[in-house]
Amino acid sequence: MFKAPYPPYDPTDKNCFSYETVYKRWPIILTGIIDHLHRLNHDCAMEMQQDIADDKRAELDVRVQASKDIIGTISKLKYQMARDHKLELIPSDNEPFVELYNTELAELSQSNKDTWFTAPWLYAECYLYRLLRSWFTTSPSMFWQSFDPFFGQKMDTLKSSGDAIYQLATTLHEVSEEKDTLESDPDKLGVLFKEMVQMCLWGNATDLSLLTNPSHADIQDLQSVGRDAQEKRKDFILRDDQDTVWAHLKTLKGGRVDFALDNAGYELFTDFVFADFLVTYTPYVSRVVFHPKLIPWFVSDVTPPDFRALIESLSDPSFFPPSNRETAEQSKAHVEAMVSRWKRYIDEGKFALSVPADTPLGPRGVTEGDVVKKGGFWTQPYAYWDMKERATELWEELAKESGLVIFKGDLHYRKLTGDVRWPAFTPWETAIGPLAGSFPILSLRTSKADVVAGVNGEVADKLDQEQGNKWRVNGKYALISFCPAKKQT
Ligand code: F6P
Ligand code: MG
């Protein structure tokens, strides 16, 4: 397995983002789950006061009791985290990777790096979400077994994204009116491609694990779209491989593009818009495959139910709260046209999830092996350097079938680079280790963690001097990093 020449960021270093995460952000996220469960218990209590059938009452009773147990376990975890206790083994829960996580943990304990503040941040954070999953999936109440504690939050943010969504739907409509010119003017298509890349890139700024308590105004601000907003953000793109990606895409003919998805809601919407552009307006792409996470992950990541929920929400004219924009009615029609096209693409297989569309949370019960092989890798705690060995089937499929794999977001970036202390000037191809050359890779990331590679060393030094690590973690800066496939000999 690949060994990087640099260590991970030291989680005990108070100047690193990992320290702040363990100390501040995770407790807030865990408290959020506890509050959410309390609210749901309250709703159950109200329902139980009604005249309901006995079996329903019994089910609610089990549900409430089980949720009290989960609340107790999460509270204990918060306590242990704050006191830097050891990470405990993940209980056997019939879902994948328990052994894999526990073996890794045993290795960390050999080097005394198995407590909350000493374990490598990437491992500890993946472990946290896998551990949470095990408590829900082993619950005696069926209700909690398929429960996503972040689903409500994801839907609320989507609801708050109506303005940007309507605006982008209108943009797509305007693009459709120019279809003929686009076909005859490749330069224009190239300009539009860049606008789409940037829209999709900045869609990654709305991340609920970073914005632990976003207000409606925060969300609107982050989602300001259109040329002016893009122009303002241009200087914040510290690496920009858009021209090379475009040159590469133009070599494809009806090819396949894969999205290793990041966040649900607005970001997923921007992924769809980008995918729609590629399939509808370019001759280069005819099919897009979207790769979700199979369990609730880093708060806002897309699961198969989130994927379905986006299409359902966009199809429901009453989903977004009314807005006072004059063009609301017209935009509504644009959203309608857009979502019916997307549904058609899904029916025709032009847009597909990498796992069956109806995959429930946790791949239990569905052709398990296959679902795990196609989608499990993303929720393992590993860097992507050794994807070929660790997820051979997925790697082979991408290497054989995909014309471009787009990795969205910060966590994918951390895993692509192994989350280690690469000097910022390290070539991107070096930082992604042996994965480089496997298939064409495009990472679209707004920066929310310390690791950075492939940027101009002087620029990075200057930012480090002026801002400490702020520029690396506050989501204001972004990187568009491309690495082509190795030529077959
Ligand atoms: O909490 C750690 C972290 O990985 C940060 O790096 C980032 O803020 C977030 O979680 C995930 O970001 P994204 O949704 O862009 O992958
Ligand atoms: Mg995410």
Side-chain angles (χ1 to χ4, degrees):
M1 297 285 161
F2 180 73
K3 197 133 184 45
Y6 298 94
Y9 282 83
D10 177 1
T12 56
D13 180 348
K14 294 192 177 161
N15 297 317
C16 290
F17 197 46
S18 47
Y19 180 83
E20 188 183 325
T21 301
V22 188
Y23 178 67
K24 268 201 209 142
R25 293 170 56 234
W26 289 348
I28 296 177
I29 289 168
L30 294 174
T31 307
I33 302 178
I34 294 174
D35 290 349
H36 186 39
L37 295 182
H38 275 305
R39 277 198 302 276
L40 292 175
N41 279 353
H42 174 79
D43 294 347
C44 285
M46 300 301 280
E47 200 177 336
M48 285 161 88
Q49 280 175 19
Q50 311 293 315
D51 185 17
I52 52 172
D54 288 350
D55 50 351
K56 179 72 187 165
R57 185 175 301 282
E59 189 269 309
L60 289 177
D61 216 29
V62 175
R63 191 195 298 185
V64 171
Q65 196 42 55
S67 113
K68 285 183 183 162
D69 292 343
I70 297 175
I71 290 173
T73 320
I74 298 180
S75 308
K76 187 171 145 217
L77 176 69
K78 274 180 64 185
Y79 177 92
Q80 293 175 334
M81 209 178 247
R83 285 154 191 81
D84 196 22
H85 283 200
K86 280 183 187 302
L87 277 58
E88 290 177 0
L89 293 178
I90 296 179
S92 230
D93 62 2
N94 290 324
E95 287 195 6
F97 314 135
V98 172
E99 222 174 282
L100 177 155
Y101 271 92
N102 288 343
T103 309
E104 201 67 24
L105 185 55
E107 266 171 40
L108 290 173
S109 86
Q110 301 288 314
S111 48
N112 292 325
K113 286 195 168 19
D114 59 340
T115 69
W116 284 102
F117 283 88
T118 57
W121 183 32
L122 182 59
Y123 174 82
E125 195 156 31
C126 295
Y127 162 95
L128 172 64
Y129 290 94
R130 182 61 187 84
L131 180 69
L132 281 170
R133 173 68 194 148
S134 74
W135 294 337
F136 285 96
T137 194
T138 53
S139 163
S141 154
M142 294 271 283
F143 180 84
W144 300 119
Q145 290 170 18
S146 56
F147 183 76
D148 176 352
F150 309 117
F151 185 74
Q153 251 174 292
K154 291 185 262 194
M155 291 306 277
D156 288 348
T157 332
L158 177 61
K159 255 192 204 310
S160 291
S161 309
D163 281 359
I165 286 179
Y166 275 42
Q167 201 180 329
L168 280 171
T170 297
T171 306
L172 273 183
H173 168 77
E174 287 161 6
V175 172
S176 73
E177 291 187 324
E178 287 182 53
K179 195 164 192 252
D180 294 342
T181 1
L182 286 173
E183 274 164 9
S184 58
D185 185 348
D187 290 345
K188 207 162 176 189
L189 195 62
V191 171
L192 197 56
F193 168 77
K194 287 191 180 176
E195 283 177 17
M196 290 289 160
V197 172
Q198 289 174 52
M199 171 274 315
C200 189
L201 165 74
W202 292 112
N204 179 241
T206 325
D207 156 32
L208 296 176
S209 79
L210 191 68
L211 293 167
T212 34
N213 193 13
S215 68
H216 185 77
D218 288 338
I219 294 169
Q220 306 281 309
D221 194 36
L222 282 166
Q223 294 175 347
S224 49
V225 284
R227 282 189 193 133
D228 292 348
Q230 284 194 359
E231 200 52 46
K232 274 196 217 145
R233 291 184 184 137
K234 235 183 177 152
D235 293 343
F236 291 90
I237 300 177
L238 297 176
R239 178 193 175 97
D240 186 354
D241 289 343
Q242 290 181 85
D243 288 326
T244 343
V245 190
W246 183 232
H248 162 70
L249 261 181
K250 288 196 288 186
T251 65
L252 305 179
K253 229 191 227 152
R256 160 172 158 179
V257 166
D258 288 73
F259 279 75
L261 295 171
D262 186 5
N263 301 314
Y266 179 68
E267 180 169 359
L268 177 59
F269 172 78
T270 63
D271 298 334
F272 264 97
V273 173
F274 190 18
D276 188 4
F277 163 76
L278 292 172
V279 168
T280 312
Y281 298 102
T282 81
Y284 317 123
V285 182
S286 62
R287 184 159 189 252
V288 175
V289 178
F290 299 93
H291 300 255
K293 310 293 187 318
L294 299 181
I295 60 173
W297 193 245
F298 284 65
V299 184
S300 36
D301 283 22
V302 180
T303 62
D306 295 327
F307 191 85
R308 300 192 289 271
L310 176 68
I311 298 293
E312 279 157 25
S313 309
L314 293 172
S315 310
D316 172 1
S318 62
F319 179 78
F320 295 106
S323 147
N324 25 8
R325 274 167 303 109
E326 287 163 19
T327 50
E329 278 314 308
Q330 245 182 334
S331 292
K332 262 190 184 165
H334 301 153
V335 172
E336 261 171 50
M338 179 192 72
V339 74
S340 17
R341 185 168 58 248
W342 294 357
K343 281 184 185 159
R344 181 160 51 82
Y345 285 175
I346 291 173
D347 291 343
E348 294 168 352
K350 286 185 178 169
F351 284 179
L353 263 189
S354 60
V355 294
D358 56 354
T359 303
L361 277 194
R364 284 192 305 171
V366 223
T367 49
E368 183 168 321
D370 224 37
V371 171
V372 176
K373 273 181 206 146
K374 299 258 180 192
F377 180 59
W378 314 117
T379 51
Q380 293 181 358
Y382 299 128
Y384 296 160
W385 294 323
D386 305 308
M387 183 177 182
K388 188 176 181 181
E389 290 73 25
R390 296 196 192 277
T392 309
E393 289 198 12
L394 177 64
W395 184 91
E396 277 173 355
E397 182 181 322
L398 295 176
K400 211 163 114 214
E401 311 280 344
S402 188
L404 180 69
V405 184
I406 304 177
F407 288 87
K408 289 296 311 286
D410 192 78
L411 178 64
H412 278 311
Y413 188 93
R414 288 172 64 197
K415 289 182 154 190
L416 283 164
T417 56
D419 210 29
V420 299
R421 285 182 173 273
W422 296 108
F425 58 78
T426 308
W428 165 244
E429 295 72 13
T430 307
I432 62 178
L435 188 68
S438 304
F439 34 79
I441 292 171
L442 170 65
S443 155
L444 298 179
R445 174 230 195 175
T446 62
S447 192
K448 306 169 201 158
D450 302 88
V451 60
V452 167
V455 305
N456 179 306
E458 282 168 23
V459 173
D461 283 350
K462 190 160 175 269
L463 286 166
D464 276 335
Q465 274 155 23
E466 286 169 3
Q467 305 189 17
N469 78 339
K470 276 209 180 70
W471 67 277
R472 293 167 180 264
V473 306
N474 62 11
K476 288 205 164 58
Y477 289 83
L479 304 163
I480 301 175
S481 318
F482 177 66
C483 177
K486 240 185 240 126
K487 288 227 164 56
Q488 304 293 332
T489 45

